[in-house]
Amino acid sequence: MADSVKIPLDDKLESIVKQCGPALIDVLKHKFGCEAVIHGVSAEWGSGKKPSVVPDQRFSTQLPKGMTVSVWKDDLTTHQADAVVNAANERLSHGGGLALALSDAGGPNIQRESDRYVQSKGKVFAGEAAVTTAGKLNYQKIIHAVGPCLQSSHTTHDVVRATPILKDAIKNILRLMEKENLQSVAIPAISSGLFNFPLRVCADTIVKTLSEHDQRSKGRPLEIHLVNNDEPSVKEMERACREFLPQTQQATSSAAGRHGNSPCPTLTINNVTLTIKKGSIERQKTDIIVNTIGADLNLSNGAITRSILQAAGQGIQDEINKKSKSKKHYNVIETKGYGLNCQYVYHTICPEKYWRVPYDKILADIVWECLNKAHNSQQKSICFPAIGTGLLGYDKDVVARVMMEGAVAFAQQTNGVHLDISYLMYPTDTNTYKAFEDGMRTLQGSANYPSRSPQGSANYPSRSPQVDLMRTNDHAKSSAETPHIELISATQERMSEARRWIWNDMCLHQNSFNIRNNFIQHFGQREHENLLSFQTMWNISITESFQDGCAGIQITGSNSIEVSVVGVEVEAMCCKAQEEFAREEEDALVQLLNRKVSYERSRFDNGDKGSKEFPIVRVEKLENPCLKQMFELKKQQLSATPRRMYQRLPAQFCELVSRVGFHRELAPPDEQKYGQGIYFCESPRLAMELWRNTSEDEYLYFVEAQVLTGRSTTGSPDLILPPSLPGSDPSSLYDSLTNTSKDIHVVFNGYQALPEYLFICKKRQ
């Protein structure tokens, strides 16, 4: 159950929010775990907020051997396909143009993996292509294709000599698609930008090569999306397709609200994107997969559920069996994704068509619950099948209408929420696909979307929505009259901490904004260029510091509003650095253990658990199988018996400890008396003495952990690693450092500690 609270904005806060709204929303989400909706504020951040991209399909046709070719105007960092093609250079150095955009959006692992590829296999020469994973992009793979590179003053002869190279690059893209078992790929106008290859010749070459491949093809049909975000490239690709390809199917501009028989229609409402596509549900790379399961809860019954079971493994069936005892029919059972390319699976239990309650009402209820669960768990993408259109015999047109109208209503009532909703049809199920396509076209051509209030509608759940953030039109209008921020979170503590930060850090200070966050140390050239530009744009001064193991930034200036605006922007930079760090650590775990990283925070109801020195608001049990496996390996390596110890940390790092364990960046004590590592104490009382500078928090956060202290020696402030064991090889070090009373220990490897419980305590006044 999500709660919400409204924070009224005075003149000063409103002025701050006007200038840094997107950064503020990011900070409230990543620092405090709160979704934020800004009401009644006329934004001034302009291009600081990236607008929603509405994919615009201009052309589509199916070639004689089955290949589908379509032309799109879209952002390649967010386009929907199995793979994206990057217009790369020979060294796979992604420093400009499309390569930089994809690398920025996908995170640092794309460049790292590219560097490893070149180190091990050498340069990728013109006309060749290489495959890497896609990082944080919503693709399975990136195909790095190296096209011809011409001088800006090239001749016609240069173009003629370079054209076969571009043709080879396209052939290698298609070859890698088949090798990697990829169904669809997004290809830009390779070499036409920074590499100076003429755009018209580029379009002709790409399209002709696709046609030739289809004529020779003996494999499965491929889906080729020719995608660019600039109008000249889109128009040239469309011209070449119309000139050289048979036009069996075509799609006009989605901006005009018509998709014809497009293979992948898309509709964007607020920040929610609806997409219809074809494929196999068990192969989808998404945060959430929705599955339809029978009343017997047996995944072995039914072709689709059986495919999910085979891909996920027996663990998914075991979790269903465990949870089913407390579930009612016509609900949703949530499990982990296990071997699937998703975080979670929502197993929906549907009745037969002629049940005593109309199936469209139950279906609407299920869709509503799935979307709200996705929103509450802060997931970004969800993939639905056409629920009930198989053995249950639901009418395809009714299912399409109910599922799509439910998503539209959700999008309108959760303005500001980012969610990608896809409807997946089996490739041969043309009738169901057409039903959803017609439903999408109806919505695109309608001036009025469905009502924003689901109660009482024949198409939506009869019960009240499960979250309090749902707002009717009248409520939204009245709220807009008074400027305020609406905070939405699953816990009161998160909202309380966020509210305190808004009033104290953003508003009450005068001419100085102080940030203590060790992820400042992870800032690179781009972040420091941003800091320099802030000082140029605003009349402020920025000073970086590092003291007692903690990095800090102080922002000062004569105008307190300008200081606050820059402070929020820098906080957002810290949050981004923190998230990139977490992703890198998760990727490292995947490489080490060859298994997917997952974690869970669940309420622990044993009131006697832990210390009674502080009023306990809630205890959460932390479970992360990967961290546990690494801890067990470390225990064997050290031959050590774990000790139960505590660490106090700021509110914003509780989630990070659950995800990737303990790191020295998260909670350095006020004084690092015993070494520059990760500190633990025997009791929460001692932790309060060791960590005093987090006292601005309204709540206290203690993590109880098993810690492998092993062979220990007395520490000192100058030690960045434990000293060598006496009489042994210099590389043989002590396992930890300690104080004289041995109730404080410092370890230097985060896998020596396993987080088990989080205690959230209320401060005594």
Side-chain angles (χ1 to χ4, degrees):
M1 174 75 72
D3 293 315
S4 63
V5 65
K6 298 174 185 175
I7 302 176
L9 303 179
D10 59 15
D11 291 344
K12 180 178 181 180
L13 265 178
E14 183 179 358
S15 180
I16 295 169
V17 171
K18 280 183 178 180
Q19 300 174 70
C20 62
L24 176 59
I25 291 172
D26 285 346
V27 172
L28 292 172
K29 179 174 182 178
H30 293 101
K31 190 178 176 77
F32 301 104
C34 294
E35 293 287 347
V37 181
I38 300 172
H39 297 269
V41 176
S42 177
E44 295 177 359
W45 52 79
S47 61
K49 182 177 180 181
K50 185 178 179 180
S52 298
V53 177
V54 180
D56 184 1
Q57 188 182 45
R58 302 292 181 83
F59 175 90
S60 177
T61 189
Q62 189 173 55
L63 304 187
K65 292 292 187 67
M67 176 188 285
T68 301
V69 180
S70 53
V71 176
W72 297 76
K73 183 175 184 180
D74 196 8
D75 184 347
L76 275 163
T77 64
T78 58
H79 188 75
Q80 296 288 324
D82 291 344
V84 62
V85 172
N86 171 34
N89 54 40
E90 292 183 340
R91 295 188 177 276
L92 302 188
S93 177
H94 312 313
L98 172 62
L100 178 60
L102 291 172
S103 183
D104 284 349
N109 276 346
I110 293 177
Q111 185 62 69
R112 287 198 193 96
E113 190 171 345
S114 299
D115 292 341
R116 287 196 294 268
Y117 184 97
V118 173
Q119 288 169 6
S120 63
K121 298 185 179 182
K123 293 193 294 184
V124 182
F125 293 105
E128 297 178 352
V131 176
T132 67
T133 55
K136 295 184 287 185
L137 295 170
N138 191 31
Y139 295 102
Q140 297 177 31
K141 300 286 184 181
I142 295 182
I143 300 175
H144 304 275
V146 181
C149 183
L150 301 179
Q151 299 292 329
S152 57
S153 57
H154 59 261
T155 65
T156 303
H157 180 65
D158 295 332
V159 175
V160 171
R161 288 191 357 180
T163 299
I165 298 175
L166 178 58
K167 189 173 183 178
D168 286 343
I170 301 302
K171 289 179 180 178
N172 280 313
I173 291 168
L174 300 173
R175 178 183 59 80
L176 288 173
M177 283 185 69
E178 294 173 347
K179 180 181 178 182
E180 298 289 334
N181 198 30
L182 300 167
Q183 179 67 35
S184 58
V185 67
I187 303 177
I190 298 171
S191 290
S192 67
L194 299 176
F195 286 12
N196 298 311
F197 194 85
L199 177 58
R200 185 179 182 88
V201 183
C202 172
D204 290 351
T205 304
I206 291 175
V207 171
K208 288 179 180 178
T209 307
L210 295 176
S211 179
E212 292 170 3
H213 180 87
D214 179 74
Q215 293 171 19
R216 299 191 307 268
S217 177
K218 295 181 180 179
R220 56 190 175 85
L222 303 177
E223 294 180 21
I224 309 299
H225 302 190
L226 303 177
V227 184
N228 295 276
N229 64 359
D230 64 298
E231 193 63 27
S233 297
V234 175
K235 285 185 175 179
E236 280 299 324
M237 288 296 174
E238 182 179 3
R239 175 202 57 76
C241 285
R242 294 188 185 279
E243 186 172 340
F244 298 112
L245 300 181
Q247 299 176 32
T248 56
Q249 300 178 26
Q250 296 180 19
T252 57
S253 170
S254 62
R258 299 183 301 275
H259 268 289
N261 294 318
S262 68
C264 195
T266 301
L267 174 67
T268 299
I269 305 161
N270 295 332
N271 290 316
V272 176
T273 301
L274 281 61
T275 304
I276 307 170
K277 57 184 182 179
K278 298 177 182 179
S280 302
I281 192 77
E282 72 275 8
R283 293 179 53 204
Q284 299 309 300
K285 184 178 181 182
T286 183
D287 291 338
I288 299 163
I289 284 174
V290 179
N291 173 41
T292 305
I293 191 171
D296 60 358
L297 308 183
N298 189 345
L299 290 173
S300 298
N301 296 334
I304 295 177
T305 55
R306 190 160 52 247
S307 297
I308 288 175
L309 176 61
Q310 290 173 351
Q314 183 60 32
I316 195 170
Q317 181 69 72
D318 295 340
E319 187 175 352
I320 290 174
N321 296 340
K322 181 179 178 181
K323 291 186 174 181
S324 64
K325 297 178 182 179
S326 61
K327 291 287 180 180
K328 298 179 180 179
H329 284 295
Y330 321 129
N331 211 324
V332 177
I333 298 178
E334 176 186 318
T335 68
K336 299 173 185 176
Y338 296 92
L340 297 164
N341 290 320
C342 64
Q343 293 289 328
Y344 303 102
V345 180
Y346 292 171
H347 304 272
T348 64
I349 307 170
C350 300
E352 294 182 1
K353 180 176 180 179
Y354 298 106
W355 189 252
R356 61 180 177 269
V357 179
Y359 71 86
D360 60 336
K361 287 181 176 292
I362 296 174
L363 177 59
D365 194 295
I366 286 171
V367 171
W368 197 261
E369 183 171 355
C370 287
L371 294 175
N372 283 328
K373 283 172 70 69
H375 167 64
N376 291 342
S377 61
Q378 301 181 6
Q379 303 302 311
K380 292 301 181 187
S381 57
I382 183 170
C383 183
F384 285 94
I387 296 176
T389 56
L391 295 176
L392 293 176
Y394 293 4
D395 295 330
K396 294 175 172 56
D397 292 337
V398 174
V399 170
R401 173 178 56 80
V402 171
M403 293 185 70
M404 299 187 75
E405 288 183 354
V408 170
F410 170 83
Q412 292 181 317
Q413 294 175 64
T414 52
N415 189 19
V417 173
H418 293 261
L419 186 64
D420 291 331
I421 304 171
S422 56
Y423 303 101
L424 190 74
M425 314 297 147
Y426 197 71
T428 59
D429 192 356
T430 56
N431 291 334
T432 305
Y433 186 91
K434 186 177 185 303
F436 275 77
E437 191 178 42
D438 291 342
M440 175 78 80
R441 192 157 51 243
T442 299
L443 290 175
Q444 289 171 325
S446 174
N448 298 307
Y449 290 113
S451 168
R452 299 187 185 189
S453 179
Q455 296 93 326
S457 167
N459 299 330
Y460 299 105
S462 56
R463 60 188 171 90
S464 298
Q466 294 189 6
V467 292
D468 296 333
L469 59 94
M470 302 303 167
R471 296 176 290 277
T472 63
N473 281 324
D474 292 339
H475 176 74
K477 290 177 182 177
S478 62
S479 298
E481 296 173 2
T482 304
H484 69 278
I485 299 174
E486 183 176 12
L487 293 179
I488 305 150
S489 178
T491 70
Q492 289 288 339
E493 304 91 67
R494 295 179 185 180
M495 289 191 295
S496 180
E497 297 285 15
R499 180 169 48 189
R500 179 203 56 76
W501 179 81
I502 289 172
W503 282 113
N504 290 359
D505 290 44
M506 278 183 59
C507 191
L508 291 185
H509 69 83
Q510 293 302 312
N511 304 108
S512 178
F513 195 113
N514 296 302
I515 299 171
R516 282 171 54 89
N517 190 316
N518 263 333
F519 287 100
I520 293 169
Q521 298 176 84
H522 292 251
F523 283 5
Q525 179 179 350
R526 184 181 309 142
E527 286 79 11
H528 284 96
E529 288 175 353
N530 287 341
L531 295 178
L532 184 62
S533 67
F534 290 150
Q535 294 182 91
T536 304
M537 292 166 56
W538 308 88
N539 186 26
I540 53 98
S541 174
I542 297 178
T543 304
E544 293 188 56
S545 63
F546 187 83
Q547 185 175 5
D548 295 323
C550 189
I553 283 182
Q554 183 181 46
I555 303 159
T556 56
S558 58
N559 186 315
S560 62
I561 291 178
E562 293 180 352
V563 169
S564 292
V565 170
V566 175
V568 173
E569 294 285 354
V570 175
E571 286 274 20
M573 290 165 56
C574 291
C575 290
K576 182 179 179 181
Q578 174 183 324
E579 180 60 24
E580 289 181 353
F581 172 84
R583 297 272 186 171
E584 291 170 11
E585 289 297 317
E586 288 176 332
D587 290 344
L589 282 172
V590 170
Q591 293 291 329
L592 285 169
L593 302 177
N594 195 28
R595 63 183 294 185
K596 190 173 183 178
V597 177
S598 63
Y599 68 96
E600 185 173 348
R601 291 171 59 178
S602 58
R603 186 157 190 145
F604 189 80
D605 294 326
N606 185 353
D608 296 329
K609 183 70 182 170
S611 169
K612 292 185 178 294
E613 297 179 56
F614 308 101
I616 296 176
V617 176
R618 190 171 71 258
V619 181
E620 294 182 359
K621 184 173 177 60
L622 310 180
E623 295 180 280
N624 187 318
C626 286
L627 292 181
K628 184 174 179 62
Q629 184 175 346
M630 292 299 297
F631 178 78
E632 293 297 332
L633 292 172
K634 203 69 182 173
K635 184 164 66 172
Q636 293 177 15
Q637 178 188 347
L638 301 181
S639 299
T641 301
R643 302 176 60 174
R644 193 157 296 281
M645 305 191 80
Y646 296 86
Q647 182 180 99
R648 184 184 170 197
L649 73 166
Q652 76 181 89
F653 296 137
C654 293
E655 189 79 2
L656 202 58
V657 165
S658 305
R659 287 177 64 182
V660 296
F662 296 102
H663 295 270
R664 66 180 71 191
E665 286 94 341
L666 306 189
D670 291 0
E671 296 180 85
Q672 293 187 315
K673 294 182 178 180
Y674 312 110
Q676 301 172 35
I678 307 168
Y679 279 66
F680 295 93
C681 301
E682 290 282 354
S683 68
R685 176 195 57 78
L686 187 56
M688 281 294 293
E689 297 176 8
L690 196 63
W691 285 277
R692 297 187 301 274
N693 277 342
T694 55
S695 58
E696 69 272 9
D697 290 342
E698 184 176 346
Y699 294 87
L700 308 175
Y701 300 86
F702 301 99
V703 177
E704 181 181 292
Q706 293 188 56
V707 183
L708 300 170
T709 57
R711 297 164 298 185
S712 195
T713 188
T714 304
S716 61
D718 59 306
L719 290 173
I720 60 174
L721 285 174
S724 301
L725 291 165
S728 64
D729 186 275
S731 63
S732 298
L733 309 179
Y734 280 97
D735 301 321
S736 69
L737 303 174
T738 185
N739 60 345
T740 54
S741 57
K742 299 187 184 302
D743 52 8
I744 297 174
H745 276 82
V746 185
V747 301
F748 293 81
N749 186 315
Y751 298 134
Q752 283 180 235
L754 178 67
E756 291 193 320
Y757 297 95
L758 173 65
F759 294 86
I760 304 171
C761 306
K762 184 74 174 177
K763 280 186 179 178
R764 293 188 183 278
Q765 299 300 322

